[in-house]
Amino acid sequence: MKFRRTLLGLAMAATALAFTNTAIAQSNYKAEYKMSLVLGPPTPWGMAGQIWADLVRERTQGRINIKLYPGVSLVQGDQTREFSALRQGVIDMAVGSTINWSPQVKELNLFSLPFLMPDYAAVDALTQGEVGKRIFATIDRAGAVPLAFGENGFRELTNSKKAIKSPEDLKGMKIRVVGSPLFSDTFNALGANPTQMSWADAQPALSSGAVDGQENPMFLFTVLKMHTVGQKYVTTWGYVADPLVFVVNKDVWASWTPADQAAVRQSAIDAGKQEIALARKGLVEADKPLLKEVAGMGVTVTTLSPAERDAFVKATRPVYEKWKATIGADLVNQAEKDIAARKK
Ligand code: X2X
């Protein structure tokens, strides 16, 4: 009897201790975690953040409560500063494009090498394979905890002037490009006149006609009704695709219990899968309904023949070679090998 009472007492003490440990651990938790994103819902990118936040709240019984900050508002709209701010703790977590973090993590330029990835199978061969693992190790070394991949998408060329079928058609055209010098190099090689600006500045620049064109995934065209700001021509050249990466600040990550870390990680993986399906909707079906929808807006949609596409590949090849060295020939070779071996 006495023995049983002691056992019971021990069990109760152990439970109390475990409870106290959890309580102590959780007293470090913030009331709210700030998640940075460039695009908010209803874009697939924004949905990635929304789904992740919802799953985390549910699976941690509300212990981890996340608020979305779209428009990279935590860094005043300057998306190229997002990764540094994340590292410093101004941002707790983010779903970010590889393009926007490439100024700090040069290996992320891999996905922006012109015409490296010919199709979605090639994107998957990289993100789901050895290259994805190496990229995550690099992000980790750069000071953030990477958890899962999502997708912004294949970036198609739009403009207000004319149908573009060849590099000659692009000559002198003012094209807004994102914040990595690789994009300026690519458009310079094509004879265009690239101007680098944030997404926040790009929208008024398109409306006022300060720039003639831009490049972004097609869902953005329909969500923002880009034809209403004069973007009447689309060329689906599929020259680059930017993955999204779900990340958490290192100190924030370390402050969570292992069980909550696991919940946050699994939620990112699940949200990533759901979001990739959203990002590809209308583009993976044989008749590409999203392109039909865009054409239905009175927009000229130009698809390139293999020979026409080749002219763009050739013109940008020196840029590819130059940046291959910057990114690391080893990583690029691995990517080329995995793409060649992909299942179509
Ligand atoms: O700025 C862009 O073009 C966007 C929204 O696609 C990115 O943040 C990379």
Side-chain angles (χ1 to χ4, degrees):
M1 187 68 181
K2 187 159 178 228
F3 178 66
R4 269 178 63 190
R5 216 181 289 148
T6 312
L7 263 187
L8 187 67
L10 271 177
M12 281 170 66
T15 311
L17 191 66
F19 184 77
T20 316
N21 275 343
T22 314
I24 289 171
Q26 281 164 19
S27 67
N28 299 328
Y29 280 35
K30 298 187 191 182
E32 184 180 284
Y33 293 92
K34 295 187 168 86
M35 183 197 292
S36 178
L37 312 142
V38 179
L39 305 175
T43 66
W45 189 337
M47 292 312 295
Q50 186 70 62
I51 297 168
W52 189 22
D54 289 347
L55 287 176
V56 167
R57 189 172 300 114
E58 184 191 311
R59 292 175 183 175
T60 64
Q61 286 83 44
R63 283 187 297 278
I64 298 176
N65 185 34
I66 301 163
K67 186 173 172 199
L68 271 59
Y69 289 81
V72 261
S73 57
L74 299 167
V75 282
Q76 293 74 47
D78 185 353
Q79 62 217 58
T80 57
R81 279 174 40 218
E82 186 179 58
F83 192 79
S84 308
L86 175 83
R87 207 159 36 189
Q88 289 155 9
V90 175
I91 291 170
D92 296 315
M93 54 215 295
V95 180
S97 162
T98 49
I99 298 172
N100 296 330
W101 302 347
S102 62
Q104 289 84 34
V105 189
K106 67 178 184 351
E107 290 83 352
L108 293 179
N109 282 295
L110 174 73
F111 302 98
S112 306
L113 280 176
F115 303 102
L116 167 69
M117 299 176 291
D119 48 31
Y120 285 119
V123 177
D124 294 340
L126 301 192
T127 57
Q128 307 308 312
E130 173 63 22
V131 167
K133 281 196 200 114
R134 287 213 219 165
I135 290 282
F136 272 19
T138 306
I139 292 175
D140 188 80
R141 276 197 303 278
V145 183
L147 300 176
F149 278 109
E151 185 165 286
N152 192 20
F154 276 103
R155 303 178 68 89
E156 313 297 9
L157 186 60
T158 81
N159 82 92
S160 60
K161 299 279 189 216
K162 62 178 177 195
I164 293 175
K165 285 194 168 155
S166 68
E168 291 72 54
D169 294 332
L170 255 176
K171 214 164 200 83
M173 219 180 251
K174 268 199 207 153
I175 305 290
R176 174 267 172 175
V177 292
V178 276
S180 162
L182 167 46
F183 285 82
S184 302
D185 284 358
T186 298
F187 281 86
N188 277 324
L190 291 169
N193 180 6
T195 135
Q196 192 175 310
M197 60 181 84
S198 71
W199 181 242
D201 292 338
Q203 298 174 75
L206 286 166
S207 304
S208 70
V211 295
D212 303 318
Q214 61 91 44
E215 44 78 69
N216 250 304
M218 285 319 292
F219 68 77
L220 208 53
F221 195 95
T222 50
V223 170
L224 293 180
K225 300 188 170 48
M226 285 198 195
H227 63 296
T228 63
V229 293
Q231 297 295 291
K232 296 283 189 196
Y233 302 93
V234 171
T235 299
T236 56
W237 60 347
Y239 82 128
V240 304
D242 51 331
L244 300 175
V245 186
F246 293 66
V247 289
V248 176
N249 165 278
K250 282 208 164 168
D251 295 333
V252 168
W253 182 256
S255 74
W256 290 336
T257 62
D260 283 346
Q261 288 175 346
V264 172
R265 183 189 298 278
Q266 192 56 48
S267 299
I269 292 168
D270 296 346
K273 283 205 184 107
Q274 289 184 42
E275 188 269 339
I276 288 171
L278 288 176
R280 295 182 185 184
K281 199 162 163 254
L283 294 170
V284 279
E285 301 82 352
D287 58 340
K288 303 201 172 158
L290 186 57
L291 295 186
K292 286 209 171 125
E293 191 187 330
V294 171
M297 297 166 152
V299 173
T300 304
V301 179
T302 304
T303 47
L304 302 176
S305 68
E308 284 166 344
R309 195 169 184 273
D310 251 15
F312 287 97
V313 176
K314 276 212 188 75
T316 54
R317 199 62 202 180
V319 178
Y320 185 107
E321 293 304 335
K322 172 186 162 189
W323 280 85
K324 181 171 181 172
T326 308
I327 293 161
D330 212 41
L331 184 65
V332 180
N333 286 337
Q334 178 76 45
E336 289 168 350
K337 197 176 119 214
D338 294 349
I339 289 170
R342 77 192 180 282
K343 286 198 198 77
K344 284 186 215 165

